[in-house]
Amino acid sequence: MFGAAPVLNPAPQLNAAGVNWKLSAPAVAAALVMLPVFVQAPWVRSSPVACALFTAVLVALGLRLRGHLGALLIGFSGSWLAGAVFWGWLRLHPLWHLPVEAFALPLAIAGLQGPWRRAGQFYLGALIGTACTDAATALCGLMPLWPQVLQASPGEAPLLLSAAAEQVLHPLPLAVVGGFAAAMVSAGRWLWRQSEGGQVVAAALLSTLAVDALFLALALLSPQLSGLV
């Protein structure tokens, strides 16, 4: 009389926290690269200790969620802790930036073959992006300006940032920046075609490039806002 009963879609699979996450691993990786720019940067300036201790929350949440999202949060927690330590206490020493960011490199490499491989993939992608940024900064001769900008008064810092950005527009620095950008895009495109793990690395790498481009654009067009990133 009423016809056949409608076929219902099977219930979505829930993770350990009872949440149905539909975001892809590369999309989450890209979002996690952007998060420190807008959350950690202002937080670490006002309370570096609290910012560093938040790493424990990220690890606990990653262990709770499990799956790809949980693994990505575990990898992100390493980058978050490194960022909190460097920008909280060592920010005037740019040569320490990459060594501090790479503190969990052995764990990331060791985890590539295990259940937490997404953590290692995210961490490696973000670290490679950071290494490219620091190398380009050094080759463009901008490293000496790093501590000067951070120690400058609020009125002087935008002027120094603007001068540094304008220096990038000179032919040789521009060629260096363009070369690194082209290499990162090429590597990202190649990684994207390999597997989801490659896409996670590519997403972290290319998101780092996007953040760098945003910072350079702000330093050129509105240097008073570039301190926010």
Side-chain angles (χ1 to χ4, degrees), residues 2-195:
F2 296 102
V7 178
L8 301 178
N9 291 326
Q13 295 295 315
L14 301 182
N15 57 24
V19 180
N20 179 29
W21 294 97
K22 293 184 178 297
L23 290 175
S24 68
V28 174
L32 290 176
V33 170
M34 301 290 186
L35 188 62
V37 175
F38 302 103
V39 177
Q40 188 181 50
W43 190 5
V44 76
R45 285 195 290 265
S46 61
S47 183
V49 173
C51 186
L53 291 177
F54 186 69
T55 306
V57 177
L58 293 171
V59 172
L61 187 58
L63 294 174
R64 172 68 173 166
L65 291 174
R66 299 180 180 277
H68 289 172
L69 180 59
L72 288 170
L73 282 175
I74 294 294
F76 175 64
S77 69
S79 298
W80 179 277
L81 178 59
V85 170
F86 177 80
W87 292 107
W89 292 279
L90 299 170
R91 60 186 177 274
L92 298 181
H93 307 283
L95 293 181
W96 279 101
H97 186 218
L98 192 58
V100 171
E101 291 284 352
F103 85 98
L105 182 58
L107 289 175
I109 294 175
L112 288 177
Q113 303 302 319
W116 297 98
R117 60 187 178 278
R118 292 288 182 266
Q121 290 160 351
F122 173 85
Y123 184 86
L124 287 174
L127 182 61
I128 293 170
T130 298
C132 290
T133 300
D134 283 9
T137 301
L139 290 173
C140 289
L142 300 178
M143 280 295 185
L145 289 176
W146 184 321
Q148 293 180 33
V149 171
L150 293 175
Q151 294 182 95
S153 67
E156 295 175 336
L159 299 177
L160 290 172
L161 282 170
S162 180
E166 290 175 0
Q167 185 173 326
V168 174
L169 298 182
H170 293 168
L172 183 57
L174 193 59
V176 169
V177 170
F180 271 97
M184 292 169 75
V185 170
S186 178
R189 292 179 62 182
W190 180 83
L191 287 164
W192 194 268
R193 294 192 295 266
Q194 303 310 306
S195 63

